[in-house]
Amino acid sequence: MDDNKNHNRPKLKRKSKPKLKEEEITIVDTNSARKAVFATAVGNGMEWFDFGIYSYLAVTIGQVFFPEVSGPMQLVFAFATFAVAFIARPIGGIFFGMLGDRLGRKKVLAITLIMMALATLSIGLIPAYASIGYTATVLLLIARLVQGFSAGGEYSGAMTFIAESTPDKKRGFMSSGLEVGTLVGYIAGSGLVTLLTYILGEETMLEWGWRIPFFLSAPIGLIGFYLRNKLEETPAFEAMKESKSDDDDESVKHILQYHWRAILIGMFVVFFYIVVNYIVLSYMPSHLTAVLGYGETEGLLLIVIVMVIMIPIVLLMGYFSDRIGAKKVIQGGLIGLILLSIPSFNLIGSGNTILVFLGLMILGIFSASFQGTMPALLPSLFFTNVRNGALAITFNISASLFGGTTPLLVSWLISKTANEMIPAYYVILASIVGIVVVTIFLKDTSGKALRGSPPAVEEKAEIKEILEEPEEALWWDEEKKEIQERIENRSEDEK
């Protein structure tokens, strides 16, 4: 009887040890990696210069395109147009993400940059509401939709490109350069708006001066396109392309079926990241002006100073993530926000410029803990063959739901409740969700090979040590086999 039971019992598959050959290990040229980081970060900075100037001109744009409403509701309308761009982000993300997994990361990054530059230039050319009425509003919406479509492929593509171009042990630090590009783009945008407002005055800015930053997007876009066009394709993508078979499926359906868990974790991670990022960088200039009554120049100048100080902090957080792990750095930032968001916003609402700056700086430091780690962490959630597409889906759906709506929701709630602490409560809520997800569900892979790729090292001397422990080097092998087994089982069921 026992023999029959043993005979009928399904045989357990033995786990085969992963094999790793020396020639499969990528030796990353440090100079090439730095060039890739620089060119991608510069291009990303130019994208976010274009995307960001709308945030810093939100009050003025509200007056130009929505003169029939006034006060806080005018800001709500302006941010509603800001949020519209996020409707197109998932569509653009899926389109460009899937394209990046098929044609390569480099080509997509060049295309998105040109699209963003043209869309931003067109906003500067739209006549005001006073000239053509609601047609102006419609044209503004169309331009914002094109911006959103472009941005959908930009950031996820840039994260993928840098993560795949850097050695594993320096991925955190080098990838944090992408967020330096973002901050520089925001600084350039806000700095230009601040300078123009100071030189021209608020009346001239309202009349025609607001158009100047949008006009500058065309030459800036051409510079970024030139730099990106000079880049080489990532080593991880080239290696994947060589080993790829015609049967490999990278469709959206395939990604959602077999990588849904990583997508879900990624969406919750992006949720708290994007909420904090957009409140600190996009919403705060308008909060200082429209809600707290600061002059536009003074409010923007404070944000610019905070962002300049954030640049070395972002790099430092990236450096620490390589040393102690991105997970610990992120947890520290989330705990800090839970404890200090309300005190920070009390300082911001104090009316004392020094205290306002201190409150903004506290938020900026904790935001930097995410900015310095996310560009390396998010791409590591996905396997190489689906990384660009899966990351684009993850990032852009979450960014659309929670990023573009954050300034709109916060400004609307303040207009309804007259409670200036609404942004603090929202940051705390996002941080509580974040600490639960990161602590329980996020696996820290800092310093390890990307999922689906062999290790990437800086020096040949590292190879010997890696070959001694192939299981550690290819830590993702069992996960890949599980996915492959599910694919095979589904194929058999469908026959």
Side-chain angles (χ1 to χ4, degrees):
M1 191 73 174
D2 290 338
D3 290 340
N4 288 335
K5 282 183 181 178
N6 290 335
H7 179 74
N8 293 328
R9 190 178 295 155
K11 292 180 180 179
L12 294 173
K13 290 185 177 180
R14 288 186 178 180
K15 292 183 179 180
S16 57
K17 291 184 178 181
K19 295 178 181 178
L20 182 63
K21 297 176 183 177
E22 183 175 340
E23 58 269 22
E24 292 176 330
I25 298 172
T26 304
I27 301 174
V28 178
D29 179 67
T30 309
N31 290 329
S32 296
R34 288 197 188 104
K35 287 178 184 177
V37 171
F38 177 75
T40 309
V42 167
N44 192 59
M46 290 172 179
E47 283 260 5
W48 294 107
F49 167 83
D50 289 355
F51 205 69
I53 51 178
Y54 188 95
S55 306
Y56 301 116
L57 288 165
V59 174
T60 303
I61 286 170
Q63 293 172 321
V64 172
F65 290 99
F66 307 102
E68 294 186 337
V69 291
S70 58
M73 282 307 295
Q74 196 172 72
L75 189 61
V76 171
F77 272 71
F79 276 128
T81 315
F82 179 80
V84 161
F86 288 80
I87 295 172
R89 276 191 76 155
I91 303 168
I94 292 169
F95 176 79
F96 287 118
M98 304 309 291
L99 204 63
D101 283 330
R102 288 182 174 85
L103 302 182
R105 324 311 197 191
K106 169 187 165 179
K107 292 176 183 177
V108 166
L109 287 175
I111 295 168
T112 57
L113 190 58
I114 288 296
M115 281 188 67
M116 178 65 83
L118 292 174
T120 308
L121 173 63
S122 69
I123 292 176
L125 296 171
I126 299 171
Y129 180 93
S131 301
I132 58 173
Y134 286 109
T135 305
T137 308
V138 172
L139 291 174
L140 178 63
L141 289 173
I142 292 170
R144 288 292 296 161
L145 285 170
V146 176
Q147 279 191 320
F149 188 78
S150 165
E154 161 61 26
Y155 192 64
S156 54
M159 281 193 287
T160 300
F161 191 92
I162 289 186
E164 292 182 350
S165 300
T166 53
D168 297 331
K169 290 183 179 179
K170 289 188 175 180
R171 189 185 306 125
F173 175 68
M174 296 187 83
S175 295
S176 66
L178 182 66
E179 278 301 314
V180 171
T182 301
L183 286 170
V184 169
Y186 271 120
I187 290 165
S190 60
L192 180 61
V193 171
T194 305
L195 182 63
L196 287 171
T197 304
Y198 176 77
I199 294 172
L200 300 177
E202 292 184 13
E203 287 186 15
T204 307
M205 279 295 287
L206 182 62
E207 189 178 345
W208 56 266
W210 66 271
R211 299 180 184 275
I212 295 173
F214 292 99
F215 290 154
L216 288 175
S217 65
I220 286 173
L222 288 173
I223 294 168
F225 179 78
Y226 172 80
L227 288 172
R228 285 192 171 175
N229 220 31
K230 293 288 183 183
L231 291 173
E232 295 179 4
E233 192 50 81
T234 70
F237 179 81
E238 292 288 4
M240 183 270 292
K241 193 168 66 172
E242 288 177 11
S243 61
K244 188 176 175 182
S245 71
D246 294 334
D247 296 329
D248 287 343
D249 185 4
E250 294 141 10
S251 63
V252 175
K253 181 182 176 182
H254 170 89
I255 290 172
L256 295 176
Q257 278 180 339
Y258 302 110
H259 303 274
W260 63 267
R261 189 176 184 276
I263 289 173
L264 204 57
I265 292 170
M267 286 181 68
F268 277 106
V269 171
V270 173
F271 163 65
F272 70 78
Y273 169 45
I274 212 80
V275 165
V276 173
N277 207 17
Y278 274 80
I279 281 182
V280 175
L281 299 182
S282 295
Y283 171 74
M284 285 312 299
S286 300
H287 182 78
L288 291 172
T289 303
V291 179
L292 301 180
Y294 270 74
E296 286 187 39
T297 304
E298 187 180 6
L300 282 170
L301 188 60
L302 284 172
I303 299 293
V304 170
I305 295 170
V306 168
M307 287 192 292
V308 170
I309 297 171
M310 281 174 67
I311 289 176
I313 300 173
V314 166
L315 292 170
L316 192 63
M317 294 298 178
Y319 175 82
F320 281 142
S321 74
D322 288 327
R323 297 295 177 275
I324 64 172
K327 186 171 179 174
K328 290 179 181 177
V329 175
I330 292 168
Q331 286 171 322
L334 289 167
I335 292 168
L337 285 171
I338 291 168
L339 296 176
L340 296 178
S341 286
I342 289 175
S344 295
F345 274 90
N346 281 329
L347 291 172
I348 291 167
S350 67
N352 182 303
T353 302
I354 295 174
L355 295 179
V356 172
F357 172 74
L358 182 60
L360 290 171
M361 200 64 247
I362 292 169
L363 294 176
I365 289 170
F366 293 126
S367 178
S369 70
F370 309 145
Q371 289 177 295
T373 53
M374 291 297 174
L377 184 143
L378 290 171
S380 72
L381 293 174
F382 305 103
F383 284 86
T384 306
N385 64 317
V386 297
R387 182 170 297 124
N388 210 350
L391 181 54
I393 292 168
T394 302
F395 189 86
N396 289 296
I397 289 177
S398 195
S400 297
L401 290 173
F402 308 112
T405 57
T406 290
L408 173 63
L409 178 64
V410 168
S411 57
W412 180 78
L413 286 172
I414 290 174
S415 72
K416 292 298 180 184
T417 64
N419 188 337
E420 296 173 2
M421 297 302 291
I422 291 292
Y425 301 148
Y426 195 30
V427 168
I428 291 171
L429 172 65
S431 299
I432 291 171
V433 172
I435 199 73
V436 172
V437 172
V438 169
T439 302
I440 298 174
F441 299 105
L442 191 67
K443 181 176 182 177
D444 198 342
T445 59
S446 301
K448 296 182 179 180
L450 291 167
R451 275 180 170 86
S453 294
V457 300
E458 194 174 13
E459 297 175 0
K460 196 172 181 178
E462 298 175 59
I463 294 176
K464 185 179 178 182
E465 184 182 342
I466 289 171
L467 291 174
E468 289 173 358
E469 297 183 30
E471 289 182 66
E472 179 69 20
L474 301 178
W475 60 271
W476 44 263
D477 189 65
E478 286 303 320
E479 188 179 335
K480 184 180 180 181
K481 286 176 182 176
E482 287 174 15
I483 293 172
Q484 193 59 43
E485 191 175 327
R486 283 162 53 204
I487 293 171
E488 289 171 2
N489 290 338
R490 184 180 286 269
S491 298
E492 287 176 10
D493 292 341
E494 290 174 353
K495 285 180 181 177

